[in-house]
Amino acid sequence: MATVSKAADCVWVLRLDGSRGNPIGPKLLEDLNSSLDCLDKELDTSDGAALVIAAKSDDVFCSGLDIKWLMKQQVEQQLEFLDAVYATLHRLLVYPVPVVAAIRGHAIAGGWLLALCADYRVMDTGDGRAWMPEVDMGFPLTAPFMGLLKDKLDPRLAARMLLEGSRFSAGELAEFRAVDATAAPEDVEREAMALATRLAPKGTSPAFGQLKADLFAHAVAALASATDVQQDEPRATGARL
């Protein structure tokens, strides 16, 4: 599940509040987009605005795509689901106000990609780690996911994540500037809210979303065109994540 609520004058919180690590499945995607639809209607940027993405769980921010569900589907359904994931990540990536991810616990695979769609990340200094397990699972990444990693991460970090499956703490990610601030687990959301409040005035700019789209043009183009490209090109039957 995912819900959105106003937490301060200019700051909204999009909260992942499902169980079992917030796996990204059809229900979560539906809730994320419904929450963003509601936010689009209620958002008033005249005095500034910002969005915090947080999770109810202390242990896992997001565990990534719901692989158990996905592997039970037919290939056509798998590809349709991935199209929906791309569209949702694209929507978050170019959202027209500052977006801050408050990462408590693990951010795994697609959960880390979700966090990368935020403009800023605050991560806990406890046991939480971020990693991409595809090399150990035997799954290559699709071009849209790879484009997002390339645009958002230092190449050395991306290589270690993808080719070694290394798990990174908040401190290690901060060294690569993949997270913008670190905090004790109990303080992560408060720090994210403070950062969002400070950034909210930038949300008045009608250019904010376009500037993000231009800054991360490779990832934006890959995510935005994924559906059309897949319709025009032969679709592989092997699973790609």
Side-chain angles (χ1 to χ4, degrees):
M1 293 178 59
T3 59
V4 67
S5 60
K6 195 171 187 179
D9 287 343
C10 298
V11 179
W12 296 75
V13 175
L14 178 61
R15 191 174 303 280
L16 313 179
D17 55 6
S19 60
R20 300 183 298 107
N22 298 308
I24 301 173
K27 175 60 175 171
L28 182 57
L29 286 181
E30 179 183 353
D31 287 350
L32 284 172
N33 282 287
S34 294
S35 295
L36 291 174
D37 288 344
C38 291
L39 184 57
D40 288 345
K41 295 175 182 177
E42 298 186 31
L43 198 63
D44 180 2
T45 61
S46 59
D47 294 322
L51 177 65
V52 172
I53 303 175
K56 182 178 180 180
S57 169
D58 295 333
D59 300 322
V60 181
F61 171 75
C62 180
S63 60
L65 302 189
D66 189 342
I67 298 298
K68 290 183 179 180
W69 174 86
L70 186 61
M71 301 311 288
K72 294 177 182 178
Q73 310 308 307
Q74 298 297 317
V75 171
E76 191 66 23
Q77 284 68 49
Q78 291 178 348
L79 293 169
E80 289 176 358
F81 172 72
L82 288 176
D83 287 347
V85 174
Y86 301 148
T88 303
L89 294 183
H90 175 270
R91 189 174 185 182
L92 287 169
L93 185 61
V94 298
Y95 205 70
V97 301
V99 180
V100 181
I103 308 170
R104 290 189 302 175
H106 301 315
I108 309 166
W112 177 234
L113 295 175
L114 176 65
L116 289 179
C117 288
D119 306 309
Y120 302 87
R121 283 157 292 284
V122 180
M123 187 170 177
D124 83 67
T125 54
D127 296 331
R129 297 291 185 270
W131 74 94
M132 300 292 293
E134 283 75 9
V135 67
D136 296 317
M137 297 174 67
F139 291 127
L141 284 183
T142 60
F145 290 157
M146 187 67 77
L148 182 57
L149 282 174
K150 285 183 175 180
D151 265 8
K152 286 282 189 167
L153 295 181
D154 182 294
R156 296 167 298 170
L157 174 60
R160 288 184 59 191
M161 277 194 158
L162 288 175
L163 302 182
E164 300 175 21
S166 299
R167 302 184 180 198
F168 290 86
S169 67
E172 292 168 328
L173 291 169
E175 292 179 3
F176 284 102
R177 299 187 179 182
V179 300
D180 302 277
T182 62
E186 63 272 18
D187 295 328
V188 166
E189 192 164 331
R190 180 173 59 82
E191 291 295 328
M193 287 291 298
L195 178 57
T197 299
R198 180 173 65 82
L199 294 167
K202 302 303 179 185
T204 62
S205 173
F208 198 85
Q210 185 60 54
L211 288 170
K212 290 201 285 187
D214 294 340
L215 183 62
F216 305 114
H218 183 269
V220 168
L223 290 167
S225 63
T227 302
D228 293 336
V229 170
Q230 290 176 349
Q231 288 175 344
D232 293 338
E233 296 179 353
R235 295 193 174 201
T237 57
R240 293 177 66 88
L241 299 177

